[in-house]
Amino acid sequence: MKRRPLIAANWKMNPPPAGFDASDSPFLPRSNVDISVFPSFLDLKHCIDAGIETGAQFGRPEPTGAFTGDISMAMAAKLGCTYVLCGHSDRRQFHHETNEEIAQQFVAAIDSNLIPIFCFGETEAEHDAGSTSAVLKRQLKPIITFLTSGFQLPASSFLLAYEPVWAISRGDPNKPAATPKDAQDMHALIRSLLPKDRQATTRILYGGSMKGSNAHELLSQPDIDGGLVGGASLKPDDFRKIVEEAEKWKVKSGK
Ligand code: PGA
């Protein structure tokens, strides 16, 4: 089963980088690789109008309601978003989103015809305590429960993003990513936790200090199907290198 790579640009609460809407923008769709951009809500429409495939950084499960400051999955879908992030570690940390709430977002996204990207990963303390696999299993559990509930879902209707919190750059361009071997080991573990009929088809992205200089090593790992890129996605030239690596990798691996 072929898994098409996805390189996702998470701009977080930053303005779009210069040239993002130019005709040679690295954020535009490509034939061999899926590219998507997660801008601030204020910039979504501009990106969509520029022909960029987009996702929302967050969406509430309720379609409408008295939730000041939020938008719903349904609204993001209506605007023209393709994807939505569910459970990014920034949201888990700063908005105290629980795993159960994130699972509700995941289901609501699918109901709204969005493709959820379920983000999860261990913190530095959990990593240092040697509890990474237990944490990943716990975080993934509500999603596995949903996937085994008998609901019929096409293969490409969701993605996972493994993002070890300790590797996320938070604006530090020198932060080391997970080593390709460690990232591959975790991706293989995550894949093995999925229901059998989902293992070959589910795309699992890696996130955490991916950049042009390490994209080749990370993306050439057999279980890494793309990247969720923060800091480097604000530098179009660096982002372009990642996209080009994903294109080469696809040709090389024949995936
Ligand atoms: P980073 O961010 O690439 O800057 O580490 C990734 C993310 O937070 O999604």
Side-chain angles (χ1 to χ4, degrees):
M1 175 72 202
K2 296 180 180 195
R3 295 191 299 270
R4 186 178 154 89
L6 168 66
I7 305 295
N10 180 9
W11 289 346
K12 308 194 180 188
M13 197 179 71
N14 293 292
F20 79 100
D21 54 356
S23 57
D24 64 344
S25 163
F27 301 106
L28 285 169
R30 301 243 176 168
S31 56
N32 285 341
V33 177
D34 287 334
I35 313 281
S36 71
V37 174
F38 294 75
S40 79
F41 293 142
L42 298 178
D43 295 309
L44 270 171
K45 175 116 177 47
H46 189 157
C47 289
I48 292 167
D49 289 348
I52 293 170
E53 189 164 58
T54 60
Q57 295 179 13
F58 164 76
R60 273 196 87 88
E62 303 83 354
T64 56
F67 301 107
T68 303
D70 287 351
I71 69 157
S72 69
M73 299 287 174
M75 288 167 165
K78 188 160 180 236
L79 189 70
C81 289
T82 304
Y83 301 91
V84 62
L85 299 182
C86 296
H88 189 280
S89 62
D90 292 345
R91 303 278 321 172
R92 292 179 190 258
Q93 181 176 351
F94 300 119
H95 294 264
H96 310 291
E97 288 183 12
T98 66
N99 229 20
E100 284 62 37
E101 286 166 345
I102 296 161
Q104 284 167 13
Q105 294 169 20
F106 184 89
V107 176
I110 290 172
D111 278 348
S112 307
N113 291 321
L114 291 173
I115 300 174
I117 302 182
F118 177 78
C119 307
F120 64 122
E122 78 285 6
T123 62
E124 184 157 23
E126 290 164 340
H127 183 255
D128 292 351
S131 49
T132 298
S133 16
V135 170
L136 299 186
K137 280 182 197 158
R138 176 168 44 77
Q139 291 178 325
L140 206 51
K141 197 160 175 242
I143 302 301
I144 308 277
T145 305
F146 172 68
L147 293 176
T148 49
S149 65
F151 201 83
Q152 294 303 311
L153 273 184
S156 54
S157 48
F158 71 95
L159 288 92
L160 305 179
Y162 169 59
E163 297 207 297
V165 180
W166 49 268
I168 291 181
S169 77
R170 288 263 154 82
D172 174 0
N174 299 319
K175 187 86 167 271
T179 65
K181 180 178 180 317
D182 286 352
Q184 164 57 26
D185 287 351
M186 289 306 113
H187 279 236
L189 169 74
I190 293 162
R191 199 175 294 291
S192 75
L193 296 173
L194 291 171
K196 285 261 170 314
D197 62 336
R198 298 274 167 197
Q199 292 184 355
T201 53
T202 300
R203 290 186 287 175
I204 308 175
L205 310 181
Y206 168 81
S209 297
M210 184 182 278
K211 41 196 162 229
S213 56
N214 61 20
H216 174 79
E217 288 179 299
L218 287 165
L219 292 173
S220 56
Q221 301 302 316
D223 287 298
I224 299 184
D225 303 316
L228 179 52
V229 185
S233 73
L234 293 165
K235 301 175 189 155
D237 288 344
D238 209 30
F239 188 75
R240 191 185 301 279
K241 283 190 200 138
I242 300 173
V243 170
E244 286 170 359
E245 283 303 337
E247 281 182 319
K248 275 193 235 160
W249 160 77
K250 180 176 183 289
V251 173
K252 257 191 296 173
S253 68
K255 274 190 181 175

